[in-house]
Amino acid sequence: MATLSFFLSSRKGKCFMAARKVVSEWLAKADEDRAFADACLEEELSFFGQICFFFQQSAEKYLKAYIVAHDLEFRKIHDLIELLAICRTRDPALAGSEADCRLLNRFYVDTRYPAHWPSDFTITDAKSAQEAAGRISQAIKSKLNAP
């Protein structure tokens, strides 16, 4: 992964670098989730609930990468709107991703508990999720100077 040049911040008068490795891992996992969902969609697999879920998961990880990179409040949550609000404390221009976060939020399934995958999602939903995740990826990576 290319060198990430965005980590300098300060806390209580001390400058420090966020762990580049950790941010890179968040970005890599986000890219992996997105690539998996892209591949499923390209193969015309009809598991649209799962595909949408993986696009939501990729967006969540992109936002968390930004949070870690800038040493913002890290919360173990899955609500993209709340994660985006944390990111916006550093860069209000990220508000442009709110509609995409709202769209993807509905695809989250809490996998820690028995639940069925939503079965009423369509290929149109999956393509919308793909586009939204792509825009969030681009927005976050451009802010982080990441490929």
Side-chain angles (χ1 to χ4, degrees):
M1 181 156 284
T3 303
L4 303 175
S5 60
F6 50 85
F7 299 96
L8 195 57
S9 62
S10 66
R11 178 191 288 168
K12 297 183 182 177
K14 294 183 179 181
C15 288
F16 67 97
M17 301 286 277
R20 288 181 182 165
K21 183 176 189 247
V22 174
V23 174
S24 294
E25 288 170 352
W26 277 104
L27 291 172
K29 185 60 178 151
D31 287 342
E32 182 180 294
D33 285 353
R34 189 167 157 232
F36 176 76
D38 283 337
C40 289
L41 201 51
E42 186 176 310
E43 291 294 320
E44 299 180 359
L45 300 177
S46 60
F47 302 108
F48 301 124
Q50 293 88 336
I51 291 168
C52 291
F53 172 75
F54 274 95
F55 284 128
Q56 184 279 341
Q57 286 291 282
S58 71
E60 179 181 326
K61 290 172 180 80
Y62 289 124
L63 294 170
K64 287 181 176 178
Y66 186 90
I67 288 167
V68 170
H70 293 292
D71 196 38
L72 302 174
E73 177 190 4
F74 189 93
R75 297 179 55 207
K76 293 181 179 182
I77 59 173
H78 308 287
D79 186 315
L80 301 183
I81 300 299
E82 288 186 43
L83 292 170
L84 182 64
I86 295 167
C87 295
R88 288 174 58 191
T89 64
R90 170 76 182 201
D91 187 345
L94 286 170
S97 295
E98 186 169 339
D100 289 328
C101 288
R102 285 194 188 287
L103 182 138
L104 291 168
N105 248 1
R106 69 187 186 110
F107 302 127
Y108 176 71
V109 176
D110 194 339
T111 57
R112 294 174 296 162
Y113 303 105
H116 69 77
W117 286 98
S119 59
D120 58 343
F121 294 129
T122 66
I123 191 165
T124 302
D125 294 318
K127 287 182 178 181
S128 294
Q130 180 182 44
E131 292 168 3
R135 286 187 294 268
I136 290 171
S137 170
Q138 183 178 20
I140 295 298
K141 286 180 172 184
S142 70
K143 298 290 184 183
L144 297 179
N145 298 318

